Amino acid sequence: MTREYRGLRDAVLTILGVELTPKQLEAFAWYAQELRAWNERFNLTAITDPEEVEAKHFLDSLTCLLAMGRQPRGRVIDVGTGAGFPGIPLKILCPQIQLTLVEATGKKAGFCRHVVDSLGLEGVEVLHARAEEVGHMEAHREAYDWALARAVAPMPVLVEYLLPLLRLGGRAVAQKGETGPAEVHDAEGALRILGGRVEQIIPVELPRVAETRYLVLVEKVAASPARYPRRAGIPSKRPLGMAD
Ligand code: SAH
């Protein structure tokens, strides 16, 4: 096992109390290698240094389990997944989840398909689409137990992407940096309109990452009105519940 991947194993054990299997570690090592190789052709991510990929992509993605519990079940959707974060690392650790990855950029969705196929991950659907469209598709609207997003949009915009996808009682997890708590405040109006209630804001400290990160856990407590999400581009242009 390379030094880095011993590091990932130790960090996952310390932070999440979960022991990665040799097969899972191998999957992460392969994923990091492919990310680096594809990044030379397509600009998938700014981070490709192996130790940084381990901490800022893999470990950070896996910290969603601090909000989801160690053994999440049911249907999970990751909106704006980019090169697969946080969805694919979670699927490697928790093979029992049914996962949908949504990504607007074709080359990134293509990379996710490649990783899912090559690692033989079952029960994963990759949608090259925008969240605003997926939120109105019958197979996806109000269909998920968990809706996740990392580094996609400010909280008032994000809740318009995520909440229509959740069943009543389902939960959204937004992975946020230092601005997390302030963004929650800005999203109060949008949450009220879309039927969300902030359940918890969980601070997360990662090794070798200076800033505190936050998981914002939102429960869906009422149906989202049928007109949301608004059409592509509108949620980010005119965030819900904010003064124009
Ligand atoms: N979640 C990944 C990628 C973050 S970058 C990570 O943390 O590494 C944000 C990604 O969201 C980009 O790949 C962008 O194409 C995608 N995105 C932004 N708005 C979107 C939308 N409305 N629907 C689908 N994907 C979106």
Side-chain angles (χ1 to χ4, degrees):
M1 196 190 303
T2 61
R3 196 182 57 76
E4 298 93 80
Y5 286 87
R6 195 168 318 124
L8 181 65
R9 186 194 60 180
D10 292 349
V12 169
L13 189 58
T14 308
I15 296 175
L16 300 169
V18 177
E19 181 102 53
L20 290 171
T21 66
K23 196 163 168 249
Q24 287 168 333
L25 284 164
E26 212 176 281
F28 282 116
W30 179 87
Y31 189 2
Q33 186 188 306
E34 287 300 291
L35 190 61
R36 204 178 171 95
W38 279 55
N39 218 49
E40 286 172 11
R41 286 185 286 149
F42 313 111
N43 189 24
L44 296 176
T45 167
I47 300 170
T48 55
D49 170 71
E51 286 198 12
E52 270 198 288
V53 167
E54 176 200 316
K56 294 194 179 160
H57 283 328
F58 298 159
L59 186 58
D60 189 50
S61 293
L62 294 176
T63 62
C64 285
L65 296 180
L66 296 171
M68 300 169 81
R70 262 189 235 172
Q71 291 288 333
R73 309 221 149 256
R75 291 188 75 186
V76 179
I77 189 163
D78 175 10
V79 170
T81 190
F85 306 117
I88 294 178
L90 287 167
K91 178 69 186 178
I92 292 172
L93 200 64
C94 311
Q96 73 279 5
I97 60 174
Q98 282 282 119
L99 178 65
T100 303
L101 301 172
V102 178
E103 173 51 50
T105 304
K107 62 182 184 175
K108 294 181 181 175
F111 176 74
C112 289
R113 278 199 190 103
H114 164 68
V115 174
V116 167
D117 291 348
S118 304
L119 290 177
L121 300 176
E122 283 171 15
V124 184
E125 187 179 1
V126 180
L127 300 177
H128 171 209
R130 292 194 58 109
E132 297 94 317
E133 299 153 7
V134 179
H136 289 286
M137 295 176 184
E138 211 188 327
H140 301 284
R141 189 179 180 90
E142 307 216 312
Y144 290 89
D145 302 288
W146 295 97
L148 318 174
R150 188 182 81 151
V152 175
M155 212 51 205
V157 179
L158 204 55
V159 294
E160 188 167 348
Y161 296 160
L162 300 181
L163 281 167
L165 296 164
L166 291 171
R167 64 166 177 79
L168 266 185
R171 289 178 170 86
V173 180
Q175 291 195 268
K176 289 286 169 189
E178 273 167 344
T179 58
E183 287 187 40
V184 168
H185 179 73
D186 291 343
E188 277 170 13
L191 285 164
R192 214 167 16 246
I193 294 167
L194 294 162
R197 183 181 63 86
V198 176
E199 199 172 0
Q200 224 184 330
I201 302 175
I202 305 169
V204 179
E205 307 285 346
L206 291 179
R208 295 196 297 270
V209 176
E211 68 157 19
T212 299
R213 309 193 34 79
Y214 293 92
L215 299 172
V216 180
L217 181 62
V218 174
E219 188 188 357
K220 177 146 163 181
V221 292
S224 306
R227 60 181 291 246
Y228 301 110
R230 291 166 292 168
R231 60 172 205 286
I234 304 294
S236 62
K237 201 166 154 201
R238 284 194 281 119
L240 209 52
M242 303 278 282
D244 281 330

